Amino acid sequence: MKRFSIYSVFLVLFVMAGCTDKFDEINTDPTKSSESTWDPNFFLPNAQINYINLGYGNIIYQSLMMQVLASTFSYYGNGDKYVNTQNSTSYQGSIFNTTYGNVGKLLAEMIRLSAGKDQYTNLYNVGRILQVMNFQQGTDTYGDIPYSEAFKVKDGVATPKYDTQQSIYAAMLPELESAINGLDANKLKPTGDLFYAGDITKWKKFGYSLMLRVAMRLTKIDPATAKTWAEKAAAGGTFTSIDDNAKVIADAANANSAIYNVYQVTDDFRELRFSKTLIDNLKSAGDPRLSAVAEVPAAGAAANALQTLVGDNSAAVQMGLPNGFDLIGGATDITKSAGYPGPTGTGNDVAPLGKYSRPRISVYLKRGGTLEVLTYPGTELLLAEAKARGWNIPGTAADHYKNGVVGGMTTLAQLDASATISSATATAFADAHPLDVSSLDASLKMINTQYWIVTGTTFDFMENWSNWRRSGYPVLTPVNYPSNVTNATIPRRMIYLSTEIITNGTSYTEAVSRLSGGDKLTGRVWWDK
């Protein structure tokens, strides 16, 4: 049996075949697509939604270990307590499947079929930009991954080598620059574009904003390269308002929002809560996002499980669930923890977690949910950091920081109108909490804590985790739960897809030998030193 390769590229062509000596002449349906007639634009919206619609792929680990969410439910022990619970290896390898499966393959084929064709010039370059974003997510998750030989099965490469993360980053930045320069507003727009409906001006801003994010990932390991490319991105022109946010609005009829797909499950809805770390941060600052994103459910177990019954979003009643606890009756039972507020309900209708804040139903449970991909506030905060480091960035660090804070608040209205924070309210908060420029460390702490809040409240947990590893902020206290597999440290990477040792063993083994700490949750990728 021929072994399937995850790195292969496929084309969805509808060709009917029959058993005859004149196969091509007789049994090919002339009404169906062939490679020469297939429109590669059809791949674009599927790649876009699959990139951001990660479901459990970014919630089961990243959301909880970053202490944005918390849970006592055993299923979420993977991220909440760093223990291996059911399907842990599947979730660890999930992003690998995304990188080379229903995102990477689609983009690779879209790029191949549009290359060299004038009518697809913009589609070709949009595909290259998105593939960089896809590969960045993959390499940030695992470290060394196939890059230069990926998707080349047609060229005879079924077991691609794992390129070093250093070489991947060195290739991604000029690839981005080339793709951005190749965009041409005078040529045909991509069709089916879920982000910008083919607006090439916005795609150029997207490309430079992504370039900034890629560059800033190198601040610990290669600050000189980070500086060069961050300055180039700023000069090129990054996002200028929340109207530039790259986002996907899910199809309410099919409920394909990542937020919805997870949060709609009865156990997940009932058991997921906002972490004490996040709620305490918002509450202590008087941050208006507190009542925009959080609510306390009505009393009792039945009310806690009812997905149509909204809770109380008053800031005063919000309380975060501490990470690292369970509900199994032992020493780590949440009911025995210091500060436990008690349950809600009476008799047989008791909710042990009833007083803890959950993500608001109206904002995060809606069927046609909005999924933020790359945002103006995140970009502004990275510009603030670049400027604080003394790099040649227009404006001041304080102004970019303010833009990031205000943008982070006003972006929430894109998730749902009920989360709207007025520009006046957001600006007043930002003015009352300006950037501390007394030292670089003071600035970095404030900037990256805000980045954590922005990406956390928009449920962009992959970026939330990656920027925390890069910056070290906010300073999080790891949990120390019995039987944890990380020696009570927050995971720094995910473990490779489990089938790689079988299907691409030589390349996998070589990559693991280069990986700091080995193929473990405690290993570190190249830039995370």
Side-chain angles (χ1 to χ4, degrees):
M1 179 180 292
K2 188 174 181 179
R3 192 168 59 195
F4 170 75
S5 171
I6 192 174
Y7 312 102
S8 63
V9 173
F10 61 89
L11 177 60
V12 183
L13 302 177
F14 301 94
V15 181
M16 296 181 66
C19 297
T20 176
D21 293 336
K22 296 184 178 181
F23 172 82
D24 291 328
E25 179 181 347
I26 298 175
N27 287 310
T28 298
D29 187 339
T31 68
K32 303 302 179 182
S33 295
S34 65
E35 183 168 316
S36 63
T37 61
W38 179 262
D39 184 351
N41 279 287
F42 292 150
F43 291 118
L44 180 57
N46 286 317
Q48 289 175 316
I49 188 65
N50 288 332
Y51 172 82
I52 194 62
N53 187 12
L54 296 175
Y56 286 108
N58 74 339
I59 288 184
I60 205 80
Y61 275 98
Q62 289 79 5
S63 70
L64 294 110
M65 63 195 192
M66 283 298 93
Q67 298 178 18
V68 175
L69 301 180
S71 182
T72 59
F73 193 38
S74 61
Y75 199 66
Y76 284 102
N78 296 281
D80 190 79
K81 304 166 184 65
Y82 332 135
V83 299
N84 288 332
T85 66
Q86 52 187 310
N87 298 325
S88 59
T89 56
S90 295
Y91 294 126
Q92 290 160 8
S94 175
I95 300 303
F96 205 93
N97 271 324
T98 297
T99 305
Y100 298 104
N102 56 6
V103 175
K105 284 182 180 180
L106 292 173
L107 291 174
E109 192 69 350
M110 187 177 85
I111 292 167
R112 185 182 74 84
L113 292 176
S114 59
K117 299 177 181 178
D118 189 66
Q119 71 269 35
Y120 296 135
T121 293
N122 285 318
L123 179 68
Y124 170 72
N125 288 299
V126 163
R128 295 167 69 196
I129 292 169
L130 290 175
Q131 193 71 291
V132 168
M133 184 171 67
N134 177 49
F135 274 121
Q136 185 189 28
Q137 181 169 263
T139 188
D140 287 353
T141 302
Y142 301 102
D144 298 355
I145 57 172
Y147 180 78
S148 61
E149 294 182 354
F151 311 118
K152 292 189 175 181
V153 167
K154 290 182 179 180
D155 298 327
V157 182
T159 54
K161 69 178 181 180
Y162 280 51
D163 297 272
T164 65
Q165 186 175 67
Q166 183 175 7
S167 69
I168 294 170
Y169 264 82
M172 287 193 300
L173 287 161
E175 172 71 0
L176 262 180
E177 183 176 36
S178 174
I180 295 167
N181 289 338
L183 293 171
D184 188 344
N186 293 316
K187 294 188 176 181
L188 289 176
K189 297 178 179 181
T191 60
D193 173 18
L194 298 179
F195 294 177
Y196 299 123
D199 188 324
I200 299 304
T201 299
K202 286 188 179 293
W203 269 110
K204 286 189 175 184
K205 290 182 182 181
F206 179 95
Y208 283 120
S209 298
L210 179 61
M211 181 186 290
L212 175 66
R213 190 177 79 177
V214 173
M216 293 301 289
R217 204 76 93 222
L218 305 180
T219 53
K220 280 202 296 187
I221 193 69
D222 189 354
T225 298
K227 176 179 182 293
T228 296
W229 286 94
E231 290 177 348
K232 187 174 294 190
T238 57
F239 292 153
T240 54
S241 77
I242 65 170
D243 292 336
D244 293 328
N245 287 349
K247 59 186 182 297
V248 171
I249 300 175
D251 179 1
N254 295 308
N256 60 3
S257 161
I259 296 172
Y260 178 83
N261 279 350
V262 172
Y263 202 34
Q264 62 136 348
V265 177
T266 301
D267 288 338
D268 300 69
F269 173 76
R270 186 184 62 246
E271 301 292 344
L272 276 172
R273 292 290 189 266
F274 273 123
S275 170
K276 174 178 170 59
T277 307
L278 178 68
I279 295 298
D280 284 359
N281 186 294
L282 298 177
K283 203 165 190 177
S284 63
D287 194 313
R289 280 171 288 201
L290 181 60
S291 58
V293 303
E295 66 183 17
V296 174
N304 269 239
L306 187 56
Q307 297 181 357
T308 57
L309 182 61
V310 300
D312 183 352
N313 69 319
S314 304
V317 302
Q318 304 309 316
M319 175 180 290
L321 174 68
N323 295 88
F325 290 91
D326 55 42
L327 269 171
I328 60 176
T332 52
D333 193 294
I334 187 64
T335 63
K336 300 177 182 178
S337 67
Y340 176 64
T344 62
T346 59
N348 294 323
D349 185 40
V350 173
L353 305 180
K355 293 182 180 178
Y356 292 115
S357 301
R358 70 185 180 198
R360 287 183 70 190
I361 289 174
S362 61
V363 180
Y364 299 104
L365 186 63
K366 62 189 296 186
R367 294 177 65 87
T370 300
L371 308 171
E372 299 285 350
V373 180
L374 187 68
T375 68
Y376 165 74
T379 300
E380 281 294 299
L381 290 169
L382 292 179
L383 288 172
E385 177 175 336
K387 187 67 175 184
R389 290 177 177 274
W391 299 351
N392 185 21
I393 304 294
T396 68
D399 284 344
H400 285 299
Y401 176 79
K402 178 179 178 179
N403 291 340
V405 173
V406 173
M409 293 182 181
T410 54
T411 285
L412 292 175
Q414 295 180 352
L415 303 188
D416 189 77
S418 66
T420 297
I421 297 172
S422 71
S423 179
T425 298
T427 300
F429 178 88
D431 286 340
H433 300 82
L435 180 65
D436 185 346
V437 295
S438 62
S439 69
L440 177 59
D441 284 345
S443 294
L444 295 182
K445 179 180 180 181
M446 289 188 69
I447 291 166
N448 288 291
T449 297
Q450 281 297 317
Y451 199 93
W452 171 74
I453 295 172
V454 168
T455 52
T457 54
T458 55
F459 277 26
D460 185 3
F461 299 124
M462 295 301 300
E463 182 60 19
N464 187 276
W465 176 48
S466 289
N467 194 70
W468 172 81
R469 288 180 289 156
R470 176 191 73 86
S471 70
Y473 293 113
V475 176
L476 300 176
T477 301
V479 304
N480 190 3
Y481 189 82
S483 74
N484 77 82
V485 296
T486 64
N487 195 27
T489 60
I490 296 172
R492 309 293 297 198
R493 62 179 293 275
M494 291 291 106
I495 295 171
Y496 288 120
L497 185 68
S498 58
T499 55
E500 278 296 279
I501 195 170
I502 299 171
T503 60
N504 196 13
T506 300
S507 299
Y508 163 82
T509 301
E510 182 183 359
V512 171
S513 71
R514 297 192 299 261
L515 186 60
S516 174
D519 191 16
K520 300 177 181 178
L521 296 173
T522 51
R524 293 197 178 215
V525 302
W526 165 72
W527 55 253
D528 183 23
K529 299 294 190 289

